[in-house]
Short mmCIF file of all heavy atoms in Angstrom, two decimals:
data_model
loop_
_atom_site.label_atom_id
_atom_site.label_comp_id
_atom_site.label_asym_id
_atom_site.label_seq_id
_atom_site.Cartn_x
_atom_site.Cartn_y
_atom_site.Cartn_z
N GLU A 375 3.47 0.89 -10.12
CA GLU A 375 4.20 2.06 -9.96
C GLU A 375 5.16 1.79 -8.78
O GLU A 375 6.27 2.22 -8.78
CB GLU A 375 3.18 3.10 -9.65
CG GLU A 375 3.69 4.58 -9.63
CD GLU A 375 2.62 5.57 -9.30
OE1 GLU A 375 1.55 5.48 -9.99
OE2 GLU A 375 2.68 6.21 -8.30
N LEU A 376 4.60 1.32 -7.78
CA LEU A 376 5.37 1.05 -6.44
C LEU A 376 6.43 0.02 -6.62
O LEU A 376 7.54 0.14 -6.12
CB LEU A 376 4.29 0.68 -5.31
CG LEU A 376 3.54 1.71 -4.79
CD1 LEU A 376 2.38 1.12 -3.93
CD2 LEU A 376 4.35 2.71 -3.94
N ASP A 377 6.14 -0.99 -7.38
CA ASP A 377 7.06 -1.98 -7.79
C ASP A 377 8.31 -1.45 -8.43
O ASP A 377 9.43 -1.70 -8.12
CB ASP A 377 6.40 -3.03 -8.64
CG ASP A 377 7.23 -4.31 -8.64
OD1 ASP A 377 7.52 -4.80 -7.58
OD2 ASP A 377 7.34 -4.94 -9.75
N ARG A 378 8.05 -0.57 -9.38
CA ARG A 378 9.19 0.18 -10.07
C ARG A 378 9.98 0.99 -9.20
O ARG A 378 11.24 0.95 -9.11
CB ARG A 378 8.64 1.01 -11.26
CG ARG A 378 8.56 0.43 -12.61
CD ARG A 378 8.51 1.41 -13.74
NE ARG A 378 7.46 2.38 -13.46
CZ ARG A 378 6.16 2.16 -13.81
NH1 ARG A 378 5.77 1.01 -14.29
NH2 ARG A 378 5.24 2.97 -13.53
N GLU A 379 9.38 1.88 -8.43
CA GLU A 379 9.86 2.70 -7.43
C GLU A 379 10.79 1.86 -6.43
O GLU A 379 11.92 2.23 -6.06
CB GLU A 379 8.89 3.47 -6.58
CG GLU A 379 8.48 4.69 -7.30
CD GLU A 379 7.43 5.43 -6.46
OE1 GLU A 379 7.64 5.65 -5.27
OE2 GLU A 379 6.44 5.92 -6.98
N TYR A 380 10.23 0.71 -6.03
CA TYR A 380 11.01 -0.19 -5.04
C TYR A 380 12.25 -0.67 -5.68
O TYR A 380 13.27 -0.63 -5.07
CB TYR A 380 10.03 -1.28 -4.62
CG TYR A 380 10.68 -2.20 -3.68
CD1 TYR A 380 11.07 -1.77 -2.30
CD2 TYR A 380 11.02 -3.60 -4.02
CE1 TYR A 380 11.68 -2.67 -1.55
CE2 TYR A 380 11.67 -4.37 -3.23
CZ TYR A 380 12.05 -3.90 -1.91
OH TYR A 380 12.63 -4.78 -1.11
N GLU A 381 12.07 -1.12 -6.86
CA GLU A 381 13.24 -1.69 -7.66
C GLU A 381 14.42 -0.64 -7.71
O GLU A 381 15.61 -0.84 -7.57
CB GLU A 381 12.89 -2.25 -8.99
CG GLU A 381 11.91 -3.44 -9.00
CD GLU A 381 12.48 -4.61 -8.18
OE1 GLU A 381 13.74 -4.89 -8.08
OE2 GLU A 381 11.67 -5.33 -7.58
N GLU A 382 13.87 0.53 -8.11
CA GLU A 382 14.90 1.73 -8.20
C GLU A 382 15.55 2.02 -6.90
O GLU A 382 16.74 2.21 -6.87
CB GLU A 382 14.17 2.93 -8.76
CG GLU A 382 14.06 3.00 -10.22
CD GLU A 382 13.16 4.17 -10.66
OE1 GLU A 382 13.03 5.15 -9.97
OE2 GLU A 382 12.55 3.93 -11.70
N ALA A 383 14.73 1.97 -5.87
CA ALA A 383 15.25 2.24 -4.45
C ALA A 383 16.37 1.16 -4.08
O ALA A 383 17.29 1.40 -3.44
CB ALA A 383 14.21 2.40 -3.47
N VAL A 384 16.01 -0.08 -4.44
CA VAL A 384 16.90 -1.20 -4.03
C VAL A 384 18.21 -0.96 -4.87
O VAL A 384 19.27 -1.09 -4.21
CB VAL A 384 16.32 -2.51 -4.55
CG1 VAL A 384 17.35 -3.55 -4.42
CG2 VAL A 384 15.11 -2.86 -3.61
N ALA A 385 18.19 -0.60 -6.09
CA ALA A 385 19.35 -0.31 -6.84
C ALA A 385 20.12 0.89 -6.33
O ALA A 385 21.38 0.78 -6.18
CB ALA A 385 18.94 -0.05 -8.25
N GLN A 386 19.42 1.87 -5.92
CA GLN A 386 20.11 3.04 -5.27
C GLN A 386 20.83 2.70 -3.96
O GLN A 386 21.81 3.13 -3.79
CB GLN A 386 18.99 4.07 -5.18
CG GLN A 386 19.44 5.34 -4.30
CD GLN A 386 20.22 6.36 -5.09
OE1 GLN A 386 20.07 6.36 -6.35
NE2 GLN A 386 20.97 7.11 -4.46
N ASN A 387 20.08 1.94 -3.19
CA ASN A 387 20.67 1.49 -2.01
C ASN A 387 21.94 0.68 -2.06
O ASN A 387 22.84 0.84 -1.43
CB ASN A 387 19.62 0.62 -1.20
CG ASN A 387 19.57 0.79 0.32
OD1 ASN A 387 19.92 1.95 0.74
ND2 ASN A 387 19.04 -0.21 1.03
N THR A 388 21.85 -0.23 -3.16
CA THR A 388 23.04 -1.06 -3.44
C THR A 388 24.21 -0.15 -3.78
O THR A 388 25.38 -0.36 -3.37
CB THR A 388 22.69 -2.01 -4.46
OG1 THR A 388 21.57 -2.73 -4.17
CG2 THR A 388 23.83 -3.08 -4.74
N ARG A 389 23.88 0.83 -4.68
CA ARG A 389 25.01 1.73 -5.10
C ARG A 389 25.60 2.51 -3.91
O ARG A 389 26.81 2.65 -3.73
CB ARG A 389 24.41 2.83 -6.11
CG ARG A 389 24.54 2.31 -7.51
CD ARG A 389 24.44 3.53 -8.52
NE ARG A 389 23.11 4.24 -8.36
CZ ARG A 389 22.02 3.86 -8.90
NH1 ARG A 389 21.96 2.82 -9.69
NH2 ARG A 389 20.87 4.53 -8.80
N LEU A 390 24.65 2.93 -2.95
CA LEU A 390 25.09 3.68 -1.88
C LEU A 390 26.07 2.84 -1.00
O LEU A 390 27.04 3.28 -0.36
CB LEU A 390 23.92 4.09 -1.04
CG LEU A 390 23.81 5.55 -0.46
CD1 LEU A 390 23.66 6.49 -1.56
CD2 LEU A 390 22.47 5.50 0.41
N ARG A 391 25.66 1.59 -0.82
CA ARG A 391 26.57 0.72 -0.05
C ARG A 391 27.94 0.49 -0.62
O ARG A 391 28.93 0.47 0.04
CB ARG A 391 25.79 -0.62 0.27
CG ARG A 391 24.89 -0.66 1.49
CD ARG A 391 23.96 -1.81 1.47
NE ARG A 391 22.67 -1.41 2.16
CZ ARG A 391 22.59 -1.32 3.38
NH1 ARG A 391 23.54 -1.70 4.27
NH2 ARG A 391 21.48 -0.97 4.07
N LEU A 392 27.79 0.24 -1.91
CA LEU A 392 29.06 0.02 -2.66
C LEU A 392 30.11 1.24 -2.53
O LEU A 392 31.24 1.03 -2.20
CB LEU A 392 28.79 -0.33 -4.07
CG LEU A 392 28.15 -1.65 -4.44
CD1 LEU A 392 27.95 -1.89 -5.89
CD2 LEU A 392 29.09 -2.74 -3.93
N VAL A 393 29.50 2.51 -2.65
CA VAL A 393 30.29 3.68 -2.49
C VAL A 393 30.88 3.72 -1.13
O VAL A 393 31.98 4.09 -0.90
CB VAL A 393 29.40 4.92 -2.80
CG1 VAL A 393 30.11 6.18 -2.35
CG2 VAL A 393 29.10 4.99 -4.29
N GLU A 394 30.04 3.38 -0.17
CA GLU A 394 30.41 3.41 1.32
C GLU A 394 31.63 2.53 1.50
O GLU A 394 32.59 2.79 2.19
CB GLU A 394 29.21 3.00 2.10
CG GLU A 394 29.26 3.48 3.47
CD GLU A 394 27.90 3.24 4.16
OE1 GLU A 394 26.93 3.88 3.76
OE2 GLU A 394 27.95 2.32 4.99
#
Side-chain angles (χ1 to χ4, degrees):
E375 191 182 307
L376 287 167
D377 197 45
R378 263 198 311 277
E379 276 181 47
Y380 177 70
E381 296 302 331
E382 272 170 32
V384 168
Q386 172 77 23
N387 216 26
T388 309
R389 274 198 298 276
L390 224 64
R391 270 167 212 280
L392 288 177
V393 168
E394 204 170 287

